[in-house]
Each structure stands twice: as structure tokens, then as C-alpha cells.
């Protein structure tokens, strides 16, 4: 199992980023794909037509989202913690993804960089 941590600045306020990650309509816009989100603790979500699936563990509006990502049967769940902090240029976006299966690590980290973060940046930079 491996961990991944990343920081970036997204040019939008934390409220907008939080809504983009927890509101189905907004998530469809920035992912450009099929999305399903039940935005409550214990609620499940699916992004990129099932490319990412999991459930919400903690939702602290405009500050923090903790999710479990599904990778089949694992002893330790794969946990994603997303922290949002106000920044003079928008939102400081912190990703901490723990317990990534070794065989999925390269694909997951590439997905964070090239798809997830890139899509959010592109969506908010266009405004």
C-alpha cells in the first residue's frame, strides 16, 4: 500500500470547490462525464462513469471532505482527505490519499494529476 499527497491552488473560492466536489450537476460540468453523488456522510459517489467510486465519510462544508475509495477487497480502506483553505489566488487544495494498492498506484497518481486536478483547474480557469 502506498500514499499520495499533493497541494495545488485552484482559482475559485473554497465554497465553489466544495460544491464542485459534492454537487452532482457541478461535478458533471467539470468532469464532462457521468456522475452520481449522494452528498451526505455515508452517501456514495461515482465520477467519470464509474472510474472513481466510493462513499463520503466526513463532510465539513467548505473545509474538508473525507472519502473512502473502493478498490475491491482490501484489509485497510483507501482513504482520500481533501482539505480546502482560502488563498489569495482562490483555494489551496490539499489531497492526501492513503492505502492505495501498489498495483494501482501509478494509474491513481496519474489520474490525480492529469485528470482530477487538471479538470478542476481547466474548469475554473475558463471563468
Amino acid at each position: 500500500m502506498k500514499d499520495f499527497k499533493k497541494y495545488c491552488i485552484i482559482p475559485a473560492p473554497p465554497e465553489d470547490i466544495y460544491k464542485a466536489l459534492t454537487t452532482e450537476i457541478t461535478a458533471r460540468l467539470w468532469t464532462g462525464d457521468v456522475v452520481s453523488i449522494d452528498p451526505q456522510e455515508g452517501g456514495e459517489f461515482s465520477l467519470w462513469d464509474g472510474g472513481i467510486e466510493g462513499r463520503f465519510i466526513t463532510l465539513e462544508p467548505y473545509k474538508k471532505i473525507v472519502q473512502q475509495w473502493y478498490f475491491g477487497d482490501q484489509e485497510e480502506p483507501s482513504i482520500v482527505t481533501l482539505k480546502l483553505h482560502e488563498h489569495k489566488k482562490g483555494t489551496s487544495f490539499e489531497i492526501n490519499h492513503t492505502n492505495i494498492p501498489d498495483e494501482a498506484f501509478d494509474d491513481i497518481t496519474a489520474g490525480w494529476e492529469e485528470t482530477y486536478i487538471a479538470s478542476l483547474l481547466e474548469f475554473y480557469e475558463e471563468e
Side-chain angles (χ1 to χ4, degrees):
M1 300 292 231
K2 296 182 180 179
D3 297 344
F4 173 78
K5 195 169 211 172
K6 173 81 178 176
Y7 297 88
C8 63
I9 304 299
I10 301 174
E15 293 83 3
D16 289 0
I17 304 303
Y18 182 87
K19 289 174 186 171
L21 301 173
T22 60
T23 305
E24 208 167 277
I25 288 175
T26 309
R28 284 183 187 158
L29 292 172
W30 69 267
T31 64
D33 209 336
V34 177
V35 169
S36 172
I37 296 177
D38 180 9
Q40 61 183 334
E41 292 180 2
E44 296 194 334
F45 64 89
S46 172
L47 302 173
W48 284 285
D49 198 17
I52 298 172
E53 294 182 322
R55 69 179 178 91
F56 293 106
I57 297 171
T58 304
L59 291 166
E60 291 181 30
Y62 318 132
K63 294 181 180 171
K64 182 166 96 171
I65 299 169
V66 181
Q67 304 169 326
Q68 176 183 352
W69 282 21
Y70 300 149
F71 287 106
D73 294 329
Q74 284 183 219
E75 278 187 37
E76 295 288 324
S78 185
I79 303 296
V80 172
T81 302
L82 306 170
K83 292 184 181 176
L84 311 171
H85 304 283
E86 282 190 48
H87 187 276
K88 63 184 176 184
K89 294 183 179 179
T91 299
S92 172
F93 186 59
E94 175 187 332
I95 300 161
N96 188 7
H97 191 166
T98 61
N99 295 325
I100 303 169
D102 293 344
E103 65 277 6
F105 186 78
D106 290 342
D107 287 341
I108 294 298
T109 56
W112 275 117
E113 300 273 358
E114 298 164 14
T115 305
Y116 201 107
I117 295 169
S119 296
L120 278 170
L121 286 170
E122 183 180 332
F123 182 71
Y124 285 105
E125 286 174 349
E126 288 178 356
E127 291 186 347

